Amino acid sequence: MKKNFIYLLSLSVCILGMTACGGGTKKTDGDAVNEDAAVIAGSATRNLLTEELKMETVQFMKDMPESEIPYRIYAGEVSMNVADMGYMLPLSKASELTGTAQKARACGMYFADYNVLKATKQPVAEIEAVLVKLTTDLNISFVQNIMKDQLPANASETEFREFMKNQENKLIDAMAENDKIDVQLEMLGGMAAEYACLLANPSLVIKGDATSAGLSENMEGRIKILGDIAQDLAVYYPDLNEMKDLVLPLQEKVITVNTARAEKDSIMATRNALLK
């Protein structure tokens, strides 16, 4: 299965991992019998998520390739500017959210917007407060602790990549231990939609890279793999089908920056549909 680039625009570790499946407990003989029965019956519950699938997913996430973009932004080789921030999810929307899926998707959207604000050196205090509330509501406050780790000052490219990879692995392991696969995949769906909105924003300007820093290629891979994983896990988390069906069509709309801009209204509609 093709691997996607996880981080697109900034140094935030919040988008570094896609999450592993299930808890870390060993499956008993009784669990295996119940699981076989559930598969035969065409149904399964999340507590029957197999150890094999969990380990496959954990390893898959840890093997994901790295993007050059975060370091290039960190090193000042690439800079970006977004003149019109109106495409971002309004902070006031957070108070309207109810269900877990809604909150998780919005959390992913706010993480994406947070990354853009950081990359463009904009104030982030208000959106950080929203993210703290949402991660607490979703019982993933461990993300906040991971974010407290500091990148070494004036880190070399090797040090930077090692730090980022370690942060990614910490997040993957924490998600695996806390059985938050559905929450994390919903978050990634929200992120994908919000980054698509970024590509569709005519005021996006990326300096220092004639190919818009590879954003379209990263988005295509991100959406493709997200759909593949959601489809595989939907038997355990049926709600993921809804997210997958809404997000997958974005793949054809982010082939190029110009394509995304031509599809701006449709992309924004998808983002809004994820929160209904």
Side-chain angles (χ1 to χ4, degrees):
M1 200 164 17
K2 184 179 178 182
K3 315 253 187 327
N4 68 316
F5 294 108
I6 273 298
Y7 29 109
L8 304 180
L9 300 175
S10 82
L11 313 183
S12 170
V13 302
C14 296
I15 61 169
L16 296 186
M18 292 187 70
T19 278
C21 318
T25 56
K26 182 175 177 62
K27 184 172 60 177
T28 66
D29 291 341
D31 289 335
V33 171
N34 289 337
E35 183 172 11
D36 289 342
V39 171
I40 292 171
S43 64
T45 57
R46 64 185 62 187
N47 66 328
L48 292 177
L49 194 60
T50 67
E51 181 71 10
E52 292 84 358
L53 180 56
K54 173 202 165 188
M55 296 308 297
E56 269 184 29
T57 306
V58 168
Q59 191 57 52
F60 170 76
M61 298 307 162
K62 290 188 175 182
D63 286 344
M64 285 187 295
E66 298 177 351
S67 168
E68 297 179 356
I69 297 170
Y71 180 75
R72 295 179 70 184
I73 290 177
Y74 168 80
E77 297 175 7
V78 171
S79 62
M80 62 178 291
N81 179 57
V82 181
D84 179 8
M85 298 292 185
Y87 77 96
M88 290 185 174
L89 186 65
L91 295 179
S92 60
K93 184 67 177 178
S95 63
E96 302 174 14
L97 305 172
T98 54
T100 298
Q102 263 196 350
K103 289 184 178 182
R105 295 170 187 178
C107 194
M109 294 171 193
Y110 285 126
F111 277 145
D113 290 340
Y114 172 83
N115 292 334
V116 175
L117 291 173
K118 290 282 284 187
T120 56
K121 298 178 172 60
Q122 301 293 317
V124 295
E126 290 186 355
I127 198 167
E128 281 180 343
V130 169
L131 286 170
V132 167
K133 183 181 186 308
L134 285 175
T135 53
T136 300
D137 288 350
L138 292 166
N139 196 24
I140 55 170
S141 55
F142 52 80
V143 171
Q144 301 168 29
N145 296 327
I146 294 173
M147 288 182 66
K148 292 177 183 177
D149 292 342
Q150 295 296 313
L151 182 70
N154 302 316
S156 66
E157 182 171 0
T158 299
E159 291 171 329
F160 177 93
R161 292 187 183 280
E162 183 178 358
F163 174 84
M164 298 294 275
K165 191 63 178 176
N166 286 340
Q167 294 297 91
E168 177 182 357
N169 288 346
K170 286 180 185 178
L171 187 56
I172 293 170
D173 290 339
M175 288 288 183
E177 182 179 350
N178 287 273
D179 193 16
K180 293 295 180 180
I181 181 63
D182 54 333
V183 170
Q184 185 69 357
L185 287 179
E186 297 282 15
M187 285 169 57
L188 284 166
M191 284 185 213
E194 196 73 348
Y195 279 128
C197 291
L198 171 66
L199 286 181
N201 188 338
S203 74
L204 170 67
V205 177
I206 299 179
K207 298 178 181 179
D209 194 313
T211 62
S212 296
L215 292 178
S216 294
E217 180 181 353
N218 285 343
M219 281 295 300
E220 286 184 84
R222 176 186 196 63
I223 293 169
K224 168 66 166 59
I225 203 66
L226 177 61
D228 287 346
I229 296 173
Q231 181 169 311
D232 290 344
L233 298 179
V235 65
Y236 299 99
Y237 302 99
D239 289 347
L240 291 177
N241 271 321
E242 179 187 37
M243 181 273 294
K244 176 200 70 177
D245 292 342
L246 285 169
V247 172
L248 266 183
L250 290 175
Q251 191 176 4
E252 295 181 358
K253 299 173 184 178
V254 297
I255 295 174
T256 67
V257 172
N258 287 335
T259 301
R261 289 176 177 174
E263 295 283 353
K264 181 177 181 179
D265 291 344
S266 174
I267 290 172
M268 295 292 285
T270 296
R271 193 272 300 277
N272 294 338
L274 283 167
L275 297 181
K276 288 183 177 178

